[in-house]
Amino acid sequence: MTDKKLVQKAKEAAEKSYCPYSHFSVGAALMTKSGKVFQGCNIENASFSPTCCAERTAFFKAISEGERDFLKIAIVGGINGSFTDYCTPCGVCRQVMAEFCDRDFTVILGKDGDEIKSFSLGELLPHSFGLK
Ligand code: THU
């Protein structure tokens, strides 16, 4: 699947966001090396700290289904479902990515319209702490 199509999947995932507190909906679409796509949205909570980001929702769905080899993830986010700017993954999500992905794992950011931007995980989380 092309990066642009994966961003479309992330936009579709953001429609499911549960964000009554921040009104900031985020969607992610994670693709495995075998070509499967797992979508995720952010899920907030009245107690705030149990909130789960879209990226981690997608990763945990995939990992709990037995997937371990990931190629790329697309992410969109914005207030009230409009994606006026790029939404970069938070530090916690970068750390989760680093647990399961190599430095060359690709993080694709989308926004309204067709423009996309991409980074390697190594660029987003240099000198990371981990098993290796
Ligand atoms: N959020 C994500 O889903 N992913 C990120 O990488 C950054 C933040 C969510 C969490 C919360 O529901 C909302 O965006 C505002 O912080």
Side-chain angles (χ1 to χ4, degrees), residues 19 22 24 26 42-44 51-55 87-90 93:
C19 56
S22 71
F24 193 88
V26 184
N42 55 329
I43 304 166
E44 298 186 343
T51 292
C52 190
C53 291
E55 299 90 320
C87 173
T88 53
C90 79
C93 289

Side-chain angles (χ1 to χ4, degrees), residues 10-119:
K11 286 180 177 169
E12 188 186 299
E15 288 171 21
K16 308 260 174 31
S17 165
Y18 176 73
C19 56
Y21 305 101
S22 71
H23 305 286
F24 193 88
S25 46
V26 184
L30 172 64
M31 201 174 110
T32 67
K33 287 184 181 165
S34 66
K36 284 191 214 162
V37 175
F38 290 84
Q39 290 169 295
C41 63
N42 55 329
I43 304 166
E44 298 186 343
N45 190 281
S47 179
F48 290 6
S49 64
T51 292
C52 190
C53 291
E55 299 90 320
R56 275 177 289 143
T57 303
F59 265 93
F60 295 158
K61 279 173 71 179
I63 290 155
S64 65
E65 294 297 320
E67 301 293 335
R68 284 292 163 85
D69 295 318
F70 303 107
L71 188 64
K72 55 188 180 179
I73 190 169
I75 304 162
V76 298
I79 295 280
N80 295 322
S82 85
F83 311 119
T84 50
D85 210 345
Y86 295 113
C87 173
T88 53
C90 79
V92 174
C93 289
R94 292 178 200 203
Q95 182 67 25
V96 167
M97 291 175 197
E99 186 69 30
F100 297 101
C101 306
D102 297 327
R103 293 177 51 77
D104 62 352
F105 174 74
T106 306
V107 177
I108 303 148
L109 308 179
K111 56 180 189 170
D112 290 333
D114 245 12
E115 260 178 284
I116 61 173
K117 219 175 179 179
S118 61
F119 298 92

